[in-house]
Amino acid sequence: REQRAAAVERLDGVTRERFLRNIYPRRKPVVLTGLELGACTTKWTTDYLSQAEGSKEVKIHVSAVPQMDFLSKNFVYRTLPFDAFVRRAAEVKHKEYFLTEDEKYYLRSVGEDVRKDIADIRKQFPILAKDVNIPEYFEKEQFFSSVFRISSAGLQLWTHYDVMDNFLIQVTGRKRVVLYSPRDAPYLYLSGTKSEVLDVDNPDMEKYPLFVKAKRYQCVLEAGDVLFIPALWFHNVISEEFGVALNVFWKHLPAESYDKTDTYGNKDPMAASRAIQILDRALKTLEELPEEYRDFYARRMVLRIQEKAYRNDYG
């Protein structure tokens, strides 16, 4: 059965000061409307996009089905000239295709060296970057990345969390975003940063019986809307139309908290990674005991974790 969704709050014309004073400290998603995003919201037609950045090659995800799954990797990576990619992504049926005539496309911009360089629209798409006015509701030195994204109509991205705060700027097209609070992680069947539940609208309740306990938040982003997604909030994104978006990530924690090798903003903070490694070692140690002892001491460990680390002030 489908969960009832709580609407994400929409606020118009929020200044940087108001955002930092009243909204940011609450650590909840919010849709910001009426922000000055620059010429991109009117200029970025398919014709303009394909002309502006020409035929430089881009690496894209191609999927025969609308629901992309990063765990089972039900998509392939292909390379196309940018102008050809934009035209194809805007079509519903394709004359030229890799897998099927109604395949879906997804571009997530990456740095020159995908392993080391961080996505930055100013470097990868300098001409388009001039059209965008990124709302800088954070300090310049906190900036981490600006990820340019293009999606086919109907494409759904897997539910996942990021370890940095971000703005999802919907430049053109329409997206539906479903979100879940970090405290509902126990119900999301996680594998690393990703949820195994692909179809959040019609989940397999036999396979994922606890999923119904996760409280669902939802919003629709129209062109020009900006969604603030706090770090650790899970999100599932469906492109209801062909659209172009830009994600801007920034460091909410002190810079040294983050993994230096993180190019995508999704590696757990250093202290969290260390804690998980220590826990894995502790669980391995428990295996030296018979089952009833293992069960007893594991339960005691859970109680210690709840007592020391769980917040009890959630509303």
Side-chain angles (χ1 to χ4, degrees):
R1 65 198 173 87
E2 190 175 330
Q3 302 145 302
R4 283 218 306 278
V8 175
E9 191 177 8
R10 295 176 69 87
L11 296 170
D12 191 57
V14 172
T15 60
R16 177 191 163 118
E17 293 67 33
R18 186 181 161 205
F19 178 76
L20 291 174
R21 189 180 64 242
N22 300 342
I23 298 161
Y24 196 49
R26 297 195 326 226
R27 313 298 300 152
K28 283 199 164 174
V30 63
V31 179
L32 305 173
T33 63
L35 298 187
E36 185 43 65
L37 300 175
C40 57
T41 48
T42 48
K43 263 172 105 170
W44 284 8
T45 60
T46 45
D47 286 346
Y48 174 76
L49 287 168
S50 48
Q51 285 162 15
E53 294 285 352
S55 59
K56 67 172 172 198
E57 303 244 291
V58 287
K59 192 177 181 185
I60 53 171
H61 301 64
V62 183
S63 174
V65 293
Q67 280 170 338
M68 275 197 187
D69 178 4
F70 202 81
L71 295 172
S72 73
K73 297 281 198 293
N74 67 347
F75 52 83
V76 294
Y77 291 106
R78 291 291 181 264
T79 305
L80 276 176
F82 183 71
D83 50 359
F85 158 69
V86 170
R87 284 195 289 275
R88 275 211 214 175
E91 300 167 344
V92 177
K93 285 263 189 281
H94 313 294
K95 287 193 179 71
E96 294 177 65
Y97 52 85
F98 297 108
L99 305 171
T100 64
E101 62 174 11
D102 53 1
E103 65 193 15
K104 305 291 181 195
Y105 299 98
Y106 171 53
L107 167 72
R108 182 225 189 267
S109 65
V110 290
E112 293 307 310
D113 179 334
V114 280
R115 302 223 182 299
K116 292 187 191 151
D117 297 336
I118 283 154
D120 186 339
I121 190 174
R122 293 166 297 190
K123 291 179 185 162
Q124 286 100 41
F125 297 93
I127 295 161
L128 295 177
K130 292 187 184 118
D131 299 334
V132 187
N133 176 31
I134 291 172
E136 292 192 355
Y137 287 22
F138 49 89
E139 299 303 320
K140 282 221 180 331
E141 59 273 16
Q142 288 179 286
F143 171 84
F144 176 71
S145 66
S146 50
V147 182
F148 182 67
R149 300 180 192 269
I150 295 183
S151 307
S152 293
L155 181 81
Q156 182 169 14
L157 289 182
W158 53 90
T159 305
H160 67 283
Y161 71 87
D162 301 293
V163 300
M164 293 184 198
D165 290 344
N166 90 79
F167 278 150
L168 170 52
I169 302 165
Q170 191 62 26
V171 181
T172 70
R174 196 163 182 258
K175 275 198 177 90
R176 188 191 77 174
V177 187
V178 174
L179 302 110
Y180 299 96
S181 158
R183 82 186 119 150
D184 282 341
Y187 314 130
L188 297 178
Y189 298 88
L190 297 185
S191 178
T193 60
K194 300 158 191 77
S195 167
E196 290 177 18
V197 187
L198 281 190
D199 191 343
V200 293
D201 297 318
N202 298 291
D204 180 338
M205 294 316 293
E206 282 184 23
K207 204 170 176 188
Y208 309 117
L210 295 177
F211 183 68
V212 75
K213 292 187 174 188
K215 183 177 178 184
R216 173 187 177 123
Y217 295 80
Q218 188 170 300
C219 60
V220 171
L221 299 181
E222 306 286 354
D225 288 349
V226 177
L227 172 62
F228 168 52
I229 307 176
L232 310 182
W233 273 76
F234 296 88
H235 42 289
N236 178 289
V237 181
I238 298 164
S239 296
E240 296 193 337
E241 300 168 347
F242 163 77
V244 184
L246 184 67
N247 269 106
V248 183
F249 291 89
W250 68 92
K251 295 175 178 179
H252 166 61
L253 306 175
E256 62 275 12
S257 306
Y258 298 99
D259 188 327
K260 297 273 186 293
T261 65
D262 189 1
T263 49
Y264 292 97
N266 61 4
K267 286 192 178 178
D268 291 315
M270 302 293 282
S273 293
R274 285 200 307 274
I276 288 165
Q277 285 166 3
I278 293 164
L279 176 63
D280 286 341
R281 284 202 298 275
L283 292 169
K284 192 96 186 113
T285 309
L286 278 188
E287 285 175 17
E288 295 169 21
L289 293 166
E291 189 182 21
E292 65 184 298
Y293 283 80
R294 210 164 57 226
D295 180 280
F296 174 68
Y297 287 104
R299 287 172 194 273
R300 283 192 59 189
M301 284 164 72
V302 168
L303 289 170
R304 288 278 292 280
I305 290 171
Q306 284 180 330
E307 192 183 304
K308 295 275 184 199
Y310 276 28
R311 283 175 58 179
N312 55 11
D313 59 343
Y314 274 123

PDB file of all heavy atoms in Angstrom, residues 277-292:
ATOM      1  N   GLN A 277      34.027   0.357  11.041  1.00  0.00           N
ATOM      2  CA  GLN A 277      35.094  -0.665  11.022  1.00  0.00           C
ATOM      3  C   GLN A 277      35.276  -1.286  12.410  1.00  0.00           C
ATOM      4  O   GLN A 277      35.435  -2.505  12.553  1.00  0.00           O
ATOM      5  CB  GLN A 277      36.415  -0.039  10.561  1.00  0.00           C
ATOM      6  CG  GLN A 277      36.466   0.219   9.060  1.00  0.00           C
ATOM      7  CD  GLN A 277      37.617   1.141   8.664  1.00  0.00           C
ATOM      8  OE1 GLN A 277      38.425   1.548   9.501  1.00  0.00           O
ATOM      9  NE2 GLN A 277      37.678   1.470   7.390  1.00  0.00           N
ATOM     10  N   ILE A 278      35.232  -0.430  13.433  1.00  0.00           N
ATOM     11  CA  ILE A 278      35.382  -0.925  14.818  1.00  0.00           C
ATOM     12  C   ILE A 278      34.212  -1.848  15.166  1.00  0.00           C
ATOM     13  O   ILE A 278      34.396  -2.913  15.771  1.00  0.00           O
ATOM     14  CB  ILE A 278      35.473   0.265  15.814  1.00  0.00           C
ATOM     15  CG1 ILE A 278      36.778   1.031  15.590  1.00  0.00           C
ATOM     16  CG2 ILE A 278      35.373  -0.217  17.259  1.00  0.00           C
ATOM     17  CD1 ILE A 278      36.815   2.424  16.215  1.00  0.00           C
ATOM     18  N   LEU A 279      33.002  -1.449  14.768  1.00  0.00           N
ATOM     19  CA  LEU A 279      31.816  -2.277  15.028  1.00  0.00           C
ATOM     20  C   LEU A 279      31.945  -3.638  14.332  1.00  0.00           C
ATOM     21  O   LEU A 279      31.642  -4.681  14.919  1.00  0.00           O
ATOM     22  CB  LEU A 279      30.560  -1.550  14.555  1.00  0.00           C
ATOM     23  CG  LEU A 279      29.245  -2.336  14.670  1.00  0.00           C
ATOM     24  CD1 LEU A 279      28.925  -2.659  16.133  1.00  0.00           C
ATOM     25  CD2 LEU A 279      28.089  -1.587  14.041  1.00  0.00           C
ATOM     26  N   ASP A 280      32.414  -3.616  13.073  1.00  0.00           N
ATOM     27  CA  ASP A 280      32.597  -4.884  12.344  1.00  0.00           C
ATOM     28  C   ASP A 280      33.580  -5.798  13.077  1.00  0.00           C
ATOM     29  O   ASP A 280      33.364  -7.009  13.174  1.00  0.00           O
ATOM     30  CB  ASP A 280      33.087  -4.614  10.911  1.00  0.00           C
ATOM     31  CG  ASP A 280      31.973  -4.067  10.014  1.00  0.00           C
ATOM     32  OD1 ASP A 280      30.791  -4.243  10.385  1.00  0.00           O
ATOM     33  OD2 ASP A 280      32.288  -3.477   8.970  1.00  0.00           O
ATOM     34  N   ARG A 281      34.639  -5.200  13.620  1.00  0.00           N
ATOM     35  CA  ARG A 281      35.627  -6.003  14.378  1.00  0.00           C
ATOM     36  C   ARG A 281      34.995  -6.555  15.651  1.00  0.00           C
ATOM     37  O   ARG A 281      35.215  -7.704  16.030  1.00  0.00           O
ATOM     38  CB  ARG A 281      36.874  -5.170  14.713  1.00  0.00           C
ATOM     39  CG  ARG A 281      37.797  -4.968  13.534  1.00  0.00           C
ATOM     40  CD  ARG A 281      39.220  -4.640  13.969  1.00  0.00           C
ATOM     41  NE  ARG A 281      39.326  -3.401  14.728  1.00  0.00           N
ATOM     42  CZ  ARG A 281      39.434  -2.196  14.161  1.00  0.00           C
ATOM     43  NH1 ARG A 281      39.449  -2.073  12.839  1.00  0.00           N
ATOM     44  NH2 ARG A 281      39.537  -1.114  14.899  1.00  0.00           N
ATOM     45  N   ALA A 282      34.166  -5.728  16.317  1.00  0.00           N
ATOM     46  CA  ALA A 282      33.493  -6.169  17.555  1.00  0.00           C
ATOM     47  C   ALA A 282      32.560  -7.348  17.259  1.00  0.00           C
ATOM     48  O   ALA A 282      32.521  -8.330  18.010  1.00  0.00           O
ATOM     49  CB  ALA A 282      32.705  -5.009  18.164  1.00  0.00           C
ATOM     50  N   LEU A 283      31.825  -7.269  16.152  1.00  0.00           N
ATOM     51  CA  LEU A 283      30.907  -8.348  15.792  1.00  0.00           C
ATOM     52  C   LEU A 283      31.665  -9.624  15.441  1.00  0.00           C
ATOM     53  O   LEU A 283      31.228 -10.726  15.764  1.00  0.00           O
ATOM     54  CB  LEU A 283      30.019  -7.906  14.621  1.00  0.00           C
ATOM     55  CG  LEU A 283      29.016  -6.790  14.956  1.00  0.00           C
ATOM     56  CD1 LEU A 283      28.362  -6.232  13.700  1.00  0.00           C
ATOM     57  CD2 LEU A 283      27.947  -7.277  15.931  1.00  0.00           C
ATOM     58  N   LYS A 284      32.823  -9.448  14.811  1.00  0.00           N
ATOM     59  CA  LYS A 284      33.662 -10.610  14.482  1.00  0.00           C
ATOM     60  C   LYS A 284      34.132 -11.285  15.781  1.00  0.00           C
ATOM     61  O   LYS A 284      34.144 -12.508  15.897  1.00  0.00           O
ATOM     62  CB  LYS A 284      34.861 -10.113  13.661  1.00  0.00           C
ATOM     63  CG  LYS A 284      35.672 -11.178  13.010  1.00  0.00           C
ATOM     64  CD  LYS A 284      35.228 -11.374  11.552  1.00  0.00           C
ATOM     65  CE  LYS A 284      35.934 -12.555  10.928  1.00  0.00           C
ATOM     66  NZ  LYS A 284      35.071 -13.674  10.614  1.00  0.00           N
ATOM     67  N   THR A 285      34.478 -10.455  16.774  1.00  0.00           N
ATOM     68  CA  THR A 285      34.931 -10.986  18.070  1.00  0.00           C
ATOM     69  C   THR A 285      33.821 -11.785  18.754  1.00  0.00           C
ATOM     70  O   THR A 285      34.071 -12.833  19.358  1.00  0.00           O
ATOM     71  CB  THR A 285      35.388  -9.829  18.992  1.00  0.00           C
ATOM     72  OG1 THR A 285      36.320  -9.029  18.262  1.00  0.00           O
ATOM     73  CG2 THR A 285      36.042 -10.328  20.259  1.00  0.00           C
ATOM     74  N   LEU A 286      32.583 -11.298  18.647  1.00  0.00           N
ATOM     75  CA  LEU A 286      31.442 -11.998  19.262  1.00  0.00           C
ATOM     76  C   LEU A 286      31.251 -13.405  18.693  1.00  0.00           C
ATOM     77  O   LEU A 286      30.688 -14.270  19.357  1.00  0.00           O
ATOM     78  CB  LEU A 286      30.140 -11.206  19.049  1.00  0.00           C
ATOM     79  CG  LEU A 286      29.827 -10.042  19.993  1.00  0.00           C
ATOM     80  CD1 LEU A 286      28.412  -9.531  19.726  1.00  0.00           C
ATOM     81  CD2 LEU A 286      29.948 -10.442  21.452  1.00  0.00           C
ATOM     82  N   GLU A 287      31.716 -13.613  17.468  1.00  0.00           N
ATOM     83  CA  GLU A 287      31.559 -14.935  16.838  1.00  0.00           C
ATOM     84  C   GLU A 287      32.326 -16.040  17.577  1.00  0.00           C
ATOM     85  O   GLU A 287      32.093 -17.221  17.364  1.00  0.00           O
ATOM     86  CB  GLU A 287      32.013 -14.878  15.368  1.00  0.00           C
ATOM     87  CG  GLU A 287      31.014 -14.171  14.471  1.00  0.00           C
ATOM     88  CD  GLU A 287      31.528 -14.006  13.048  1.00  0.00           C
ATOM     89  OE1 GLU A 287      32.495 -14.704  12.674  1.00  0.00           O
ATOM     90  OE2 GLU A 287      30.964 -13.171  12.324  1.00  0.00           O
ATOM     91  N   GLU A 288      33.237 -15.622  18.462  1.00  0.00           N
ATOM     92  CA  GLU A 288      33.992 -16.622  19.237  1.00  0.00           C
ATOM     93  C   GLU A 288      33.119 -17.262  20.323  1.00  0.00           C
ATOM     94  O   GLU A 288      33.506 -18.264  20.930  1.00  0.00           O
ATOM     95  CB  GLU A 288      35.221 -15.957  19.890  1.00  0.00           C
ATOM     96  CG  GLU A 288      36.237 -15.448  18.880  1.00  0.00           C
ATOM     97  CD  GLU A 288      37.302 -14.569  19.530  1.00  0.00           C
ATOM     98  OE1 GLU A 288      37.494 -14.668  20.768  1.00  0.00           O
ATOM     99  OE2 GLU A 288      37.943 -13.787  18.804  1.00  0.00           O
ATOM    100  N   LEU A 289      31.957 -16.661  20.590  1.00  0.00           N
ATOM    101  CA  LEU A 289      31.066 -17.160  21.654  1.00  0.00           C
ATOM    102  C   LEU A 289      29.965 -18.050  21.081  1.00  0.00           C
ATOM    103  O   LEU A 289      29.591 -17.911  19.910  1.00  0.00           O
ATOM    104  CB  LEU A 289      30.414 -15.973  22.367  1.00  0.00           C
ATOM    105  CG  LEU A 289      31.360 -15.075  23.185  1.00  0.00           C
ATOM    106  CD1 LEU A 289      30.658 -13.782  23.547  1.00  0.00           C
ATOM    107  CD2 LEU A 289      31.834 -15.798  24.441  1.00  0.00           C
ATOM    108  N   PRO A 290      29.387 -18.933  21.915  1.00  0.00           N
ATOM    109  CA  PRO A 290      28.226 -19.716  21.471  1.00  0.00           C
ATOM    110  C   PRO A 290      27.043 -18.781  21.176  1.00  0.00           C
ATOM    111  O   PRO A 290      26.995 -17.648  21.666  1.00  0.00           O
ATOM    112  CB  PRO A 290      27.905 -20.620  22.671  1.00  0.00           C
ATOM    113  CG  PRO A 290      29.095 -20.558  23.554  1.00  0.00           C
ATOM    114  CD  PRO A 290      29.787 -19.270  23.294  1.00  0.00           C
ATOM    115  N   GLU A 291      26.090 -19.297  20.435  1.00  0.00           N
ATOM    116  CA  GLU A 291      24.994 -18.461  19.931  1.00  0.00           C
ATOM    117  C   GLU A 291      24.243 -17.706  21.020  1.00  0.00           C
ATOM    118  O   GLU A 291      23.998 -16.501  20.886  1.00  0.00           O
ATOM    119  CB  GLU A 291      24.012 -19.325  19.128  1.00  0.00           C
ATOM    120  CG  GLU A 291      22.985 -18.480  18.392  1.00  0.00           C
ATOM    121  CD  GLU A 291      21.969 -19.306  17.627  1.00  0.00           C
ATOM    122  OE1 GLU A 291      21.793 -20.505  17.952  1.00  0.00           O
ATOM    123  OE2 GLU A 291      21.333 -18.755  16.723  1.00  0.00           O
ATOM    124  N   GLU A 292      23.869 -18.377  22.120  1.00  0.00           N
ATOM    125  CA  GLU A 292      23.054 -17.676  23.139  1.00  0.00           C
ATOM    126  C   GLU A 292      23.844 -16.537  23.779  1.00  0.00           C
ATOM    127  O   GLU A 292      23.297 -15.485  24.107  1.00  0.00           O
ATOM    128  CB  GLU A 292      22.515 -18.655  24.189  1.00  0.00           C
ATOM    129  CG  GLU A 292      23.585 -19.310  25.045  1.00  0.00           C
ATOM    130  CD  GLU A 292      22.999 -20.338  26.012  1.00  0.00           C
ATOM    131  OE1 GLU A 292      22.194 -19.921  26.847  1.00  0.00           O
ATOM    132  OE2 GLU A 292      23.355 -21.522  25.913  1.00  0.00           O
TER     133      GLU A 292
END
